[in-house]
Amino acid sequence: MSVSESVSESISDDPADRWGPHARSLAGHTLVAMLDAERLPHALLIAGPVGVGKRDLAIRVAQALLCETATNQSAGPCRECRNCRRLHDPAQPTLEPQHSDVEVIAPGAICVESDHDHRNSRTIGICVIRRIEHAATLAPFEADQRIVIINPADALTSDAADAFLKTLEEPPDRVHFILLTAQEAKLSETIRSRCRTLTLSPLPAAQLDDWLEQWAADEGVELPIEAERRGELARLARGRPGWLQTNLRDGDPVTMRSAQIDDAVRIAGASRADRLAWSEQLVGRGASPQTVANLELILDAWTDWWRDLWLAQTNQTEALIHISQRDRVGEIAALYDQQELSQFLEQIQRTRALIQTGVNARLALDVLLLNIPVPRKTT
């Protein structure tokens, strides 16, 4: 038996094994229909919340286009052949694609100018798009087509977006562009109109749990056994399989979240000087893309925590995220004014929005920390 035959026989009939957690969603069915009709557009826009699984689906599309063993693209990639593994190595799931005809463009990508250093960039500039435009005109090196994934597409500067629009208007042959975004409204209408959009929504709880069980078994990841911790994990995920993949590979998300809450409680009771010192320790004097990403994770945790305090004050404890800390939530919520909690939640969202627009992350965090409500003293 040949290697190809062996791999083909190992392909599961379950579409979720090939197309991932969104296989049975409207977006999944639409994608399969396009491939089945051989009408995959030259530009595909995959939109949805952070952590919902956009990058995973983009890689699976690239695998389907380049798979060595799949009988047809709509059947999905085998995930086992050489090309599939070069795009996604189960042993190194965070590794970028290693295929010469597939490239992921992100902030920090190389450009046409040898003297440009984009390592700390939070945007994708026109010089990067110029390089991609040139590469797209070249014949594929190994496969019969090229695939360019832009993640996130909303990181394109206005000049870069204008230049990229010209490419979308006159797309090169044998090139597929896959754009990913969690902020579709930030993309220009002209770019969106030249893409076919697939919108990924959070998965229903039962569907997410079924997928999680199978994924954890395949990956050798241990899931919480206790019902309360498992329930809290599901609430933290909010239907986002990508969030679960990322955080479960790094450890126990419930435990990590508990540590973030400890920081939130400590900083809320700290002096102004200590708050600013913590900001400097967290962000430093220069905000790299990784630093900003870590800060956004902390803001996620703080949003959930302060929202839980507000929910406890409004007698909506059944909606708490951190159900393992229900007693602590109740005790601390009693120390705050309800209106102050509501206003601070709004301030967290404003801070997040400012950081996403490129505002100095350290300055934005300083302002947020100085506006933390002061807990009432207990007698």
Side-chain angles (χ1 to χ4, degrees):
M1 180 183 294
S2 68
V3 174
S4 294
E5 290 173 337
S6 176
V7 172
S8 295
E9 287 190 0
S10 70
I11 300 177
S12 169
D13 290 332
D14 186 348
D17 290 341
R18 289 165 278 126
W19 284 118
H22 294 279
R24 294 182 177 85
S25 68
L26 176 60
H29 288 308
T30 301
L31 175 61
V32 170
M34 288 190 295
L35 289 169
D36 196 41
E38 298 183 354
R39 299 189 63 179
L40 186 71
H42 67 274
L44 187 67
L45 173 62
I46 303 178
V50 172
V52 78
K54 299 182 295 294
R55 185 184 181 280
D56 176 74
L57 185 59
I59 293 297
R60 289 174 188 269
V61 172
Q63 288 178 317
L65 294 174
L66 302 183
C67 184
E68 297 172 333
T69 64
T71 55
N72 59 74
Q73 294 173 352
S74 63
C78 72
R79 305 274 286 177
E80 295 290 341
C81 70
R82 180 171 176 268
N83 275 351
C84 283
R85 285 185 172 268
R86 290 170 70 188
L87 299 183
H88 172 76
D89 182 354
Q92 304 177 80
T94 61
L95 187 68
E96 292 294 350
Q98 302 297 300
H99 195 290
S100 59
D101 293 318
V102 179
E103 184 172 4
V104 177
I105 303 300
I110 60 174
C111 70
V112 294
E113 305 295 338
S114 60
D115 60 338
H116 285 191
D117 184 356
H118 296 289
R119 283 176 295 180
N120 290 324
S121 176
R122 292 161 58 186
T123 60
I124 301 172
I126 191 172
C127 52
V128 176
I129 294 303
R130 293 296 186 210
R131 180 179 68 78
I132 294 305
E133 288 176 328
H134 173 69
T137 64
L138 304 177
F141 186 71
E142 296 179 77
D144 60 355
Q145 53 199 311
R146 287 182 179 273
I147 302 160
V148 178
I149 301 171
I150 302 181
N151 182 28
D154 49 81
L156 290 166
T157 64
S158 56
D159 287 344
D162 289 341
F164 185 56
L165 179 60
K166 297 176 182 178
T167 301
L168 293 181
E169 290 173 338
E170 300 178 7
D173 292 334
R174 300 182 296 179
V175 178
H176 288 283
F177 295 101
I178 305 177
L179 287 67
L180 312 182
T181 183
Q183 302 180 76
E184 188 177 352
K186 290 184 66 175
L187 294 176
S188 70
E189 176 59 32
T190 47
I191 284 185
R192 282 183 281 162
S193 67
R194 285 161 177 79
C195 301
R196 177 64 186 270
T197 301
L198 294 178
T199 301
L200 301 186
S201 300
L203 298 179
Q207 186 176 337
L208 180 69
D209 196 58
D210 289 344
W211 168 82
L212 179 59
E213 286 283 356
Q214 185 60 54
W215 177 83
D218 293 342
E219 296 276 331
V221 172
E222 291 188 9
L223 297 175
I225 298 175
E226 302 88 345
E228 186 175 66
R229 291 180 69 84
R230 184 68 173 266
E232 185 163 334
L233 179 63
R235 293 183 182 216
L236 289 171
R238 292 194 188 87
R240 299 171 296 167
W243 186 93
L244 285 170
Q245 287 175 320
T246 299
N247 287 276
L248 284 168
R249 288 188 181 117
D250 291 339
D252 178 5
V254 177
T255 299
M256 289 187 286
R257 174 55 66 87
S258 179
Q260 291 172 325
I261 290 174
D262 288 344
D263 274 343
V265 173
R266 177 176 59 82
I267 293 302
S271 67
R272 292 167 63 92
D274 286 342
R275 293 180 187 183
L276 295 178
W278 185 74
S279 176
E280 181 173 4
Q281 177 185 355
L282 184 65
V283 182
R285 300 187 182 277
S288 68
Q290 186 58 54
T291 298
V292 172
N294 291 338
L295 177 55
E296 289 181 337
L297 292 177
I298 289 173
L299 293 179
D300 281 343
W302 281 35
T303 298
D304 289 344
W305 171 247
W306 289 94
R307 176 180 175 273
D308 273 359
L309 298 183
W310 182 85
L311 288 172
Q313 285 205 349
T314 56
N315 299 317
Q316 300 180 70
T317 54
E318 72 284 350
L320 294 180
I321 295 291
H322 308 98
I323 53 179
S324 64
Q325 304 203 40
R326 187 179 289 104
D327 292 342
R328 187 185 194 188
V329 168
E331 293 171 1
I332 294 179
L335 302 178
Y336 290 95
D337 175 78
Q338 184 176 324
Q339 184 175 358
E340 288 184 345
L341 290 179
S342 181
Q343 291 172 344
F344 188 61
L345 276 169
E346 293 176 359
Q347 176 105 29
I348 295 174
Q349 297 312 307
R350 287 196 295 270
T351 301
R352 179 197 302 277
L354 287 170
I355 292 172
Q356 289 174 342
T357 60
V359 167
N360 184 291
R362 170 68 187 283
L363 178 60
L365 181 60
D366 283 351
V367 173
L368 176 68
L369 294 179
L370 293 177
N371 282 279
I372 297 176
V374 178
R376 294 190 290 261
K377 299 293 184 182
T378 58
T379 58

